[in-house]
Amino acid sequence: MSATMGFDPQEPEQRRQLRAALKAVGLTPGDLWLNYFSIGGSVGEYEVEAYLQGLLSLPSVQRDLLAMAANELIEDVPRLYAPYSDDPDLPDSGRDLGRGSSEPGRDSDEAGQETESAGGHDSHGRPGADEPTDPSGDS
């Protein structure tokens, strides 16, 4: 046992990382406790709050159940990502914001430039939609 309030050596760091994870995704101690309790945790909400504040030590099995409960909740939080230009989740209105009405072919011109620079394929390695075809078969 360590000298800090009877905690085992891993407990303070485990608590710190649990608190950081909850804060990063905006989960409350109440959210954590409810999920923890639903998966078989036996410590009350007040004790979980005291544990998170460093005022109470918990057995490793209960700390691990808290970690499991937190990880389940974190998995349910949507994550941000950077979309590609052809991502179906990218709203069409976002693509139109930078385009003026005087440039009707701008997007297709840019796609053609991208296709040429990628050797007839788009940035994802797929054949370009505007790829020129040579009827003689010569490249």
Side-chain angles (χ1 to χ4, degrees), residues 15 19 24-25 28 36 60 63 73 75 84 90 117 121 125 129 134:
R15 177 180 40 262
R19 288 176 52 186
V25 295
T28 68
Y36 158 81
S60 63
R63 295 193 320 262
L73 292 170
E75 286 177 3
Y84 293 101
L90 193 64
S117 67
H121 294 78
D134 184 1

Side-chain angles (χ1 to χ4, degrees), residues 42-122:
S42 61
V43 174
E45 186 174 3
Y46 178 80
E47 288 81 8
V48 168
E49 180 74 38
Y51 166 74
L52 290 171
Q53 293 178 19
L55 302 173
L56 180 72
S57 180
L58 291 178
S60 63
V61 92
Q62 296 305 314
R63 295 193 320 262
D64 290 345
L65 279 171
L66 283 171
M68 181 186 290
N71 289 331
E72 285 180 0
L73 292 170
I74 290 167
E75 286 177 3
D76 292 339
V77 175
R79 289 173 179 75
L80 296 176
Y81 68 97
Y84 293 101
S85 61
D86 62 348
D87 193 318
D89 293 332
L90 193 64
D92 288 335
S93 61
R95 292 183 209 155
D96 295 337
L97 290 176
R99 185 171 65 190
S101 58
S102 64
E103 299 174 293
R106 182 172 158 221
D107 283 351
S108 61
D109 289 342
E110 287 175 0
Q113 290 169 358
E114 182 178 330
T115 299
E116 288 174 16
S117 67
H121 294 78
D122 69 8

Side-chain angles (χ1 to χ4, degrees), residues 15-28:
R15 177 180 40 262
R16 185 193 69 73
Q17 289 188 28
L18 174 60
R19 288 176 52 186
L22 294 174
K23 183 177 180 182
V25 295
L27 293 170
T28 68

